[in-house]
Amino acid sequence: MDGRYWDGPAARRDGDSDVKKELPDREKTIAVRARQRAIGRELRRMYDEVVQEPVPGEFLDLLKKIDATKG
């Protein structure tokens, strides 16, 4: 090859040792993404639970008092 054409990552051209070095990084990336997805699912589940909770009566009373003072 004279350098005009790209034929893939250099690690594949340099031998097996570089390909083996890529593997742990790829596995780490996959693990990080899986962890991020799990965190995202849990946050969405928690948010959905909070949204479904009723508004406390004391909070509604406070909002009514605020509205009364503005009007």
Side-chain angles (χ1 to χ4, degrees):
M1 239 11 194
D2 63 358
R4 288 184 295 176
Y5 303 102
W6 184 76
D7 64 343
R12 291 192 181 132
R13 282 181 276 154
D14 292 341
D16 275 348
S17 63
D18 289 336
V19 173
K20 290 177 185 174
K21 289 179 186 175
E22 283 183 10
L23 210 57
D25 289 341
R26 183 170 185 223
E27 290 173 1
K28 183 187 285 187
T29 300
I30 291 169
V32 167
R33 287 181 182 163
R35 195 173 320 124
Q36 288 173 340
R37 282 191 302 273
I39 291 169
R41 279 192 305 270
E42 186 64 19
L43 286 172
R44 281 188 292 278
R45 185 191 65 75
M46 290 173 59
Y47 176 79
D48 288 341
E49 286 180 9
V50 170
V51 168
Q52 297 301 320
E53 291 179 6
V55 178
E58 297 88 10
F59 189 71
L60 291 174
D61 292 340
L62 182 60
L63 289 173
K64 286 178 188 175
K65 287 178 184 177
I66 292 171
D67 285 342
T69 59
K70 287 184 178 180

